């Protein structure tokens, strides 16, 4: 009896990785949350990201293979505010993993930990497009939100893996220091362009522009999520003619011909920006914001 | 629309407190008095009087119980207190930054929550440094127009959705409402001949304009353990409970139980609602074997997500047989029926998903079901099916192009007293999303074999077969509405068929979804 118990314990011991503990499994809907989790978690975490950084995050396939990742996850991080409403909920239900359900430390809905902008007042319906009733979910491109998310991830990781608390906090402090230095540098570089008018394709740059001190004057989409017809684009150009718009920005998954058309007609610059870590060869969260700032400043100089 | 100028540097908000403008003084008095000040109270001291200026310099944290009076002397006193505290204390600095942000944004200062904020601010400052902590808190105050009790991201669990801290309702809150949706599906149809094989479900059966169905859906988590979904169909003359089932949310070991009225996990199309189909009607395997209405029954399902590194799901389902054959067909055509009260229909399904790349992936499934044939004398009926769904969806570039290939096939064996009937059907459906708003789908489907019992004396069954081809073009104004044009050419034949050899069908369909409707699986 005793011997079999010993054998059992040995077998269990072998099942644990060589470093003596299993890694905390983090599943992030978007690569940015994954990148932030890597910053904080270091080698104590294993990160899986679901949507590709070059893909429209509203329209991701609910691949059943994602449910396998979710079933094993200790922490799920997602944008919330209905950004992933079209694909994530059935996966979470299929996974049936109690650790990542609402109310658990392993359930991190980013929309609940950052101040959302453009929250509609009163009741909403979709006559105004595919609006998100809780507010604009494209929060992560504001570095302050990146920091907030990193803090939230730290708190969650501490709750999930108390042993690593000091490591997570040290990693966060290091990340905050690096990001903070960069934020000052970026703001200095952006300062000369404060108040510059910008047109976006989709309202996914609101948070970045707000932080950068640029002004979003219009979107090419006539309503959120509705692709523009020729007449919409023409009307937009007419409305903004002479307004002094300097930039027209869009992610790579939006039609560049529309973006270029509007930019040319308004004498502005068309700019394709990566919105998620990994797009455009970016290697981490700070690198992503760096790239966005570089592009914006480069276009405005 | 914005509450403040976008050119303001939030990083400087905190520092501005060091040289307070007199205009800000009264704002600060209000802000601190109404709540932000409460946060300052670590050692709570009595309301500030004439001496707090000197008092505060030696003993930070005395603005605690300041009343929101706009007495200039008091405001000046509080200013001094704040300035002193800013020099002395991290949390005060954060508070001041918050107050300044609130004041300059013109938002009415409003505090949420009770004490403990200062301690949380200290914790935040320790984690990310004072400057960044102050910057974040000031920005939050500006965006939300209030001083949150604690930054939501410091909490161990999610805050109220949106961090807006709504609530305060004593009774039921409409924030607790489940996701509610209504999907109306209408069609106009034209048939070249009134005599055509029955299509089942709520597919138009004759030339005219039809309300196919209005699907009313409600779903939400019941409690931490169960999720309840209900889908109810209304037509002009019918009401049906399409599905109402509870499913477990957190059974261990990859297990999940569903109980209630549900669509059986046979094949792919049977587990989906008609408003997500590529066509107005279902393919022949579905129409012929699963009644077109879908195989659904009061039932119990146990499924298991196998602990392997790829997706492998095994499901077992048991239900009461009772589905109706397509309207216009005979009782002979049904797959299952109930001879006795305790007759059950048993079904098993195995499904997997293979992600070849970010763009290509494939789902495969196999299903088998057995139950009473409903023809008396203990007769049984078995149905075996296989399904494949291949999807190509590139994740790079500005394109919503998609290619889907769906193949479903089934083979049926039924016992009749003194007779055994076999038939099969296959549907192949390639579909393309050409642009975000446009989809085009083709379908070829075939069914062959014995359909009805025929001559009971000789045991000679009557066969019925059909070949069909269909094309549908769908325009999606948004994800929530669709307009569809479908043309179908059919060639029914066999002993059990007396109508014309060729038939044409044209449908114009419109479907509208409002409210919060749950996402559909892959």
């Amino acid at each position: 009896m005793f011997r079999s118990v010993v054998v059992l314990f040995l077998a269990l011991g072998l099942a644990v990785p060589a470093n003596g503990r299993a890694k905390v499994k983090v599943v992030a809907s978007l690569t940015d949350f994954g990148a932030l989790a890597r910053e904080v978690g270091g080698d104590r975490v294993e990160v899986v990201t679901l949507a590709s950084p070059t893909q429209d995050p509203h329209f991701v396939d609910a691949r059943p293979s994602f449910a396998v990742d979710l079933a094993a996850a200790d922490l799920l991080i997602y944008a919330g505010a209905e950004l992933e409403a079209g694909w994530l909920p059935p996966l979470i239900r299929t996974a049936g993993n109690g650790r990542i359900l609402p109310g658990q430390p392993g359930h991190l809905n980013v929309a609940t930990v950052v101040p959302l902008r453009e929250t509609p007042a009163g009741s909403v319906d979709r006559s105004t497009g595919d609006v998100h009733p809780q507010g604009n979910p494209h929060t992560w491109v504001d570095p302050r939100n990146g920091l907030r998310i990193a803090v939230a991830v730290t708190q969650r990781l501490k709750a999930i893996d108390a042993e690593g608390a000091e490591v997570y906090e040290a990693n966060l402090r290091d990340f905050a220091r690096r990001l903070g230095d960069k934020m000052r540098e970026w703001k200095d570089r952006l300062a000369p362009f404060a108040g510059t008018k910008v047109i976006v394709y989709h309202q996914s740059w609101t948070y970045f522009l707000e932080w950068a001190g640029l002004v979003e004057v219009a979107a090419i989409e006539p309503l959120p999520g509705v692709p523009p017809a020729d007449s919409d684009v023409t009307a937009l150009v007419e409305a903004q003619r002479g307004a002094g718009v300097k930039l027209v920005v869009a992610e790579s998954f939006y039609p560049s011909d529309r973006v270029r058309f509007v930019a040319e007609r308004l004498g502005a610059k068309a700019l394709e920006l990566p919105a998620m870590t990994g797009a455009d060869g970016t290697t981490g969260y700070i690198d992503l914001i760096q790239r966005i700032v570089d592009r914006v400043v480069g276009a405005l100089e | 629309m914005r509450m403040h100028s976008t050119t303001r540097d939030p990083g400087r908000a905190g520092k501005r407190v060091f040289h307070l403008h007199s205009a800000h003084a009264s704002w600060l008095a209000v802000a601190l008095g109404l709540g932000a000040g409460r946060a300052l109270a670590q050692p709570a001291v009595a309301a500030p009087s004439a001496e707090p200026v000197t008092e505060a310099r030696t003993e930070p944290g005395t603005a605690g119980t300041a009343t929101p009076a706009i007495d200039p002397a008091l405001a000046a006193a509080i200013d001094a207190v704040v300035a002193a505290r800013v020099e002395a204390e991290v949390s005060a600095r954060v508070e001041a930054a918050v107050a300044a942000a609130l004041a300059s944004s013109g938002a009415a200062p409003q505090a949420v929550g009770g004490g403990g904020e200062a301690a949380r601010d200290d914790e935040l400052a320790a984690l990310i440094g004072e400057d960044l902590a102050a910057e974040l808190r000031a920005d939050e105050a500006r965006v939300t127009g209030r001083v949150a009790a604690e930054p939501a991201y410091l909490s161990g669990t999610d805050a109220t959705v949106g961090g807006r801290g709504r609530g305060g309702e004593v009774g039921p809150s409409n924030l607790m409402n489940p996701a509610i949706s209504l999907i109306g599906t209408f069609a106009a149809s034209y048939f070249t001949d009134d005599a055509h094989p029955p299509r089942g479900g709520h597919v138009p059966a004759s030339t005219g304009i039809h309300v196919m169905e209005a699907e009313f859906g409600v779903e939400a988590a019941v409690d931490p353990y169960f999720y309840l979904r209900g889908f109810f169909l209304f037509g002009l003359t019918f009401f049906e409970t399409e599905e109402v089932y509870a499913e477990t949310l957190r059974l261990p070991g990859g297990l999940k139980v569903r109980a209630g009225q549900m669509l059986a996990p046979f094949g792919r199309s049977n587990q989906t609602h008609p408003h997500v189909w590529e066509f107005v009607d279902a393919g022949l395997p579905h129409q012929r074997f699963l009644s077109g209405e879908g195989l659904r029954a009061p039932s119990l399902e146990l499924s298991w997500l196998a602990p392997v590194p790829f997706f492998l799901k095994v499901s077992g389902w048991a239900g009461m047989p009772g589905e109706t054959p397509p309207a216009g067909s005979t009782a002979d055509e049904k797959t299952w029926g109930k001879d006795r009260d305790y007759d059950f229909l048993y079904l098993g399904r195995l499904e997997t998903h293979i992600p070849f790349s970010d763009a290509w992936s494939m789902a495969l499934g196999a299903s088998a079901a057995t139950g009473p044939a409903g023809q008396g004398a203990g007769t049984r009926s078995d149905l075996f099916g296989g399904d494949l769904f291949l999807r190509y969806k590139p994740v790079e570039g500005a394109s919503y192009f998609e290619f889907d290939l769906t193949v479903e096939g089934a083979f049926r064996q039924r016992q009749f007293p003194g007779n055994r009937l076999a038939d099969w059907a296959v549907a192949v459906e390639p579909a393309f999303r050409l642009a975000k708003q446009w989809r085009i789908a083709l379908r070829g489907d075939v069914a062959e074999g014995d359909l009805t019992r025929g001559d009971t004396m000789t045991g000679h069954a009557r066969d019925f077969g059909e070949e069909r081809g269909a094309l549908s073009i769908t325009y999606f104004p948004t994800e929530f509405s669709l307009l569809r044009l479908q043309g179908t050419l059919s060639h029914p034949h066999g002993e059990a068929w007396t109508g014309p050899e060729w038939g044409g069908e044209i449908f114009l369909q419109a479907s509208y979804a409002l409210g919060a409707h749950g996402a559909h699986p892959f």
Side-chain angles (χ1 to χ4, degrees):
Chain A
M1 175 65 194
F2 177 73
R3 191 184 276 176
S4 60
V5 168
V6 169
V7 169
L8 181 68
F9 271 88
L10 281 176
L12 285 172
L14 287 176
V16 175
N19 61 10
R21 60 177 171 77
K23 293 194 174 193
V24 177
K25 290 188 183 64
V26 180
V27 175
S29 68
L30 307 181
T31 50
D32 308 276
F33 309 142
L36 291 166
R38 281 192 194 97
E39 292 280 4
V40 173
D43 61 3
R44 293 187 74 88
V45 302
E46 184 185 315
V47 179
V48 176
T49 59
L50 303 183
S52 160
T54 52
Q55 182 175 22
D56 185 342
H58 303 81
F59 300 96
V60 176
D61 274 339
R63 288 185 165 198
S65 53
F66 292 165
V68 178
D69 297 322
L70 290 169
D74 298 303
L75 171 61
L76 164 67
I77 313 170
Y78 66 103
E82 297 196 349
L83 181 72
E84 302 99 336
W87 54 280
L88 195 54
L91 292 172
I92 295 176
R93 287 212 313 278
T94 302
N97 176 354
R99 294 185 300 277
I100 58 164
L101 292 181
Q104 300 296 315
H107 179 104
L108 175 51
N109 176 347
V110 167
T112 66
V113 300
V114 301
L116 293 188
R117 298 181 185 275
E118 299 179 339
T119 302
S123 66
V124 287
D125 63 31
R126 295 195 181 104
S127 58
T128 50
D130 186 11
V131 291
H132 299 279
Q134 293 152 13
N136 186 328
H138 304 272
T139 54
W140 61 91
V141 282
D142 176 343
R144 293 168 301 188
N145 283 341
L147 188 54
R148 290 185 178 105
I149 298 163
V151 174
V153 170
T154 306
Q155 301 297 79
R156 304 307 175 87
L157 286 175
K158 277 156 63 183
I160 293 162
D161 172 28
E163 250 176 66
E166 281 173 25
V167 176
Y168 300 136
E169 288 187 1
N171 288 347
L172 174 65
R173 269 190 288 274
D174 177 57
F175 173 70
R177 189 183 46 72
R178 283 183 286 128
L179 181 64
D181 289 348
K182 278 289 181 186
M183 280 165 71
R184 276 183 286 278
E185 177 198 320
W186 294 330
K187 289 291 283 193
D188 286 345
R189 290 176 61 200
L190 287 161
F193 311 108
T196 301
K197 291 182 178 171
V198 180
I199 287 180
V200 297
Y201 184 89
H202 180 72
Q203 281 154 353
S204 39
W205 297 102
T206 308
Y207 292 87
F208 172 78
L209 296 174
E210 186 82 27
W211 168 77
L214 309 180
V215 181
E216 177 186 319
V217 292
I220 298 180
E221 283 181 338
L223 293 170
V226 179
D230 289 347
S231 56
D232 295 318
V233 179
T234 318
L236 174 69
V237 168
E238 281 312 310
Q240 297 296 333
R241 199 182 292 284
V245 174
K246 292 280 190 296
L247 277 185
V248 184
V249 301
E251 296 91 327
S252 65
F253 43 82
Y254 289 121
S256 54
D257 51 338
R258 294 289 198 210
V259 177
R260 277 199 308 272
F261 178 87
V262 173
E264 273 166 28
R265 295 300 152 100
L266 293 176
K269 284 208 172 133
L271 198 55
E272 186 184 298
L273 293 179
M276 285 168 272
T277 306
D280 203 24
T282 50
T283 53
Y285 181 78
I286 293 177
D287 194 33
L288 173 77
I289 308 295
Q290 176 83 52
R291 185 69 51 88
I292 298 171
V293 171
D294 284 347
R295 286 272 166 85
V296 169
V297 170
L300 290 175
E301 267 168 0
Chain B
M1 240 178 76
R2 282 177 220 307
M3 282 163 53
H4 63 287
S5 151
T6 51
T7 55
R8 178 170 298 118
D9 178 358
R12 304 220 173 90
K15 285 153 198 152
R16 196 180 293 129
V17 179
F18 283 104
H19 24 89
L20 284 163
H21 308 295
S22 57
H24 282 156
S26 58
W27 267 114
L28 270 173
V30 175
L32 294 170
L34 280 186
R38 255 191 289 166
L40 300 176
Q42 282 138 354
V45 171
S49 57
E51 65 274 70
V53 178
T54 47
E55 183 82 33
R57 289 193 192 282
T58 51
E59 175 95 336
T62 43
T65 50
T67 48
I70 321 277
D71 178 313
L74 177 60
I78 293 171
D79 271 359
V81 170
V82 171
R85 285 181 43 76
V86 160
E87 282 167 340
E89 274 229 3
V90 168
S91 57
R93 200 162 158 189
V94 172
E95 287 301 331
V98 167
L102 276 177
S104 57
S105 73
Q110 185 189 351
V112 181
E117 297 91 333
R120 299 301 271 175
D121 281 332
D122 286 339
E123 187 182 345
L124 182 63
L127 285 170
I128 63 174
E130 297 169 24
D131 287 344
L132 287 170
E135 184 175 344
L136 293 193
R137 297 291 273 150
D139 173 58
E140 285 145 29
R142 250 199 309 273
V143 173
T144 61
R146 67 171 74 195
V147 185
E150 65 169 14
Y153 38 86
L154 273 185
S155 159
T157 55
D158 286 354
T160 314
V161 171
R164 285 186 290 161
R166 284 195 288 179
E169 297 92 342
V170 179
S173 157
N174 66 356
L175 290 176
M176 196 56 99
N177 277 346
I180 297 173
S181 63
L182 181 69
I183 301 176
T185 307
F186 317 107
S189 57
Y190 169 76
F191 290 84
T192 54
D193 199 296
D194 286 344
H196 57 83
R199 300 303 181 204
H202 304 128
V203 179
S206 60
T207 298
I209 296 175
H210 313 267
V211 172
M212 288 176 65
E213 60 185 39
E215 180 193 292
F216 180 72
V218 190
E219 61 180 284
V222 173
D223 57 22
Y225 311 107
F226 300 103
Y227 194 89
L228 186 69
R229 318 182 84 192
F231 299 98
F232 308 95
L233 295 184
F234 297 87
L236 293 183
T237 55
F238 67 87
F239 165 77
E240 284 170 14
T241 301
E242 187 175 30
E243 293 192 274
V244 55
Y245 64 81
E247 67 178 42
T248 56
L249 282 172
R250 53 175 88 211
L251 278 190
L255 294 170
K256 183 181 280 293
V257 172
R258 293 197 295 161
Q261 160 90 347
M262 73 187 87
L263 287 163
F266 191 96
R268 282 187 68 83
S269 63
N270 193 66
Q271 300 188 67
T272 56
H273 294 166
H275 65 89
V276 298
W277 295 349
E278 302 275 1
F279 295 87
V280 173
D281 53 348
L284 282 174
H286 190 280
Q287 285 185 358
R288 182 155 172 150
F289 303 136
L290 306 172
S291 87
E293 192 82 67
L295 174 60
R296 61 189 187 202
S299 51
L300 193 67
E301 182 200 70
L302 175 67
S303 62
W304 182 53
L305 196 58
V308 289
F310 57 97
F311 180 82
L312 180 67
K313 189 173 152 190
V314 187
S315 314
W317 180 93
M320 308 293 290
E323 109 272 22
T324 49
S329 54
T330 66
D332 265 14
E333 298 177 21
K334 67 187 177 187
T335 307
W336 292 286
K338 200 153 73 165
D339 288 332
R340 294 161 304 194
D341 280 346
Y342 48 88
D343 277 337
F344 269 94
L345 171 59
Y346 298 99
L347 194 154
R349 177 167 171 82
L350 195 65
E351 60 186 302
T352 187
H353 173 257
I354 308 161
F356 300 114
S357 67
D358 283 348
W360 287 95
S361 76
M362 182 167 72
L364 287 170
S367 317
T370 181
Q375 308 295 347
T379 50
R380 311 262 328 151
S381 179
D382 305 321
L383 184 67
F384 306 94
D387 53 272
L388 174 156
F389 177 66
L390 178 72
R391 165 160 285 191
Y392 170 69
K393 178 177 169 140
V395 295
E396 310 244 349
S399 152
Y400 287 86
F401 180 83
E402 270 172 35
F403 165 67
D404 292 344
L405 176 67
T406 312
V407 181
E408 283 201 73
F411 171 74
R412 176 170 73 168
Q413 235 177 0
R414 291 179 293 165
Q415 291 177 332
F416 283 78
N419 206 347
R420 180 181 284 272
L421 272 58
D423 52 353
W424 60 271
V426 174
V428 179
E429 239 180 65
F432 305 84
R433 183 182 289 279
L434 301 175
K436 191 175 181 185
Q437 294 172 299
W438 288 94
R439 256 185 110 81
I440 183 164
L442 295 155
R443 182 177 67 197
D445 46 359
V446 185
E448 296 291 344
D450 299 331
L451 183 66
T452 58
R453 175 171 14 191
D455 192 330
T456 45
M457 301 301 288
T458 64
H460 177 75
R462 288 204 200 138
D463 74 312
F464 170 76
E466 189 176 8
E467 289 91 48
R468 291 196 309 190
L471 168 73
S472 85
I473 299 169
T474 310
Y475 171 67
F476 297 87
T478 64
E479 295 159 75
F480 310 99
S481 57
L482 69 81
L483 301 169
R484 172 173 292 150
L485 179 66
Q486 176 184 337
T488 307
L489 188 65
S490 77
H491 175 52
H493 53 82
E495 285 170 87
W497 179 245
T498 54
E501 207 175 315
W502 289 92
E505 300 160 20
I506 294 170
F507 301 98
L508 195 59
Q509 186 187 31
S511 186
Y512 310 93
L514 68 80
H517 190 73
H520 298 107
F522 187 71

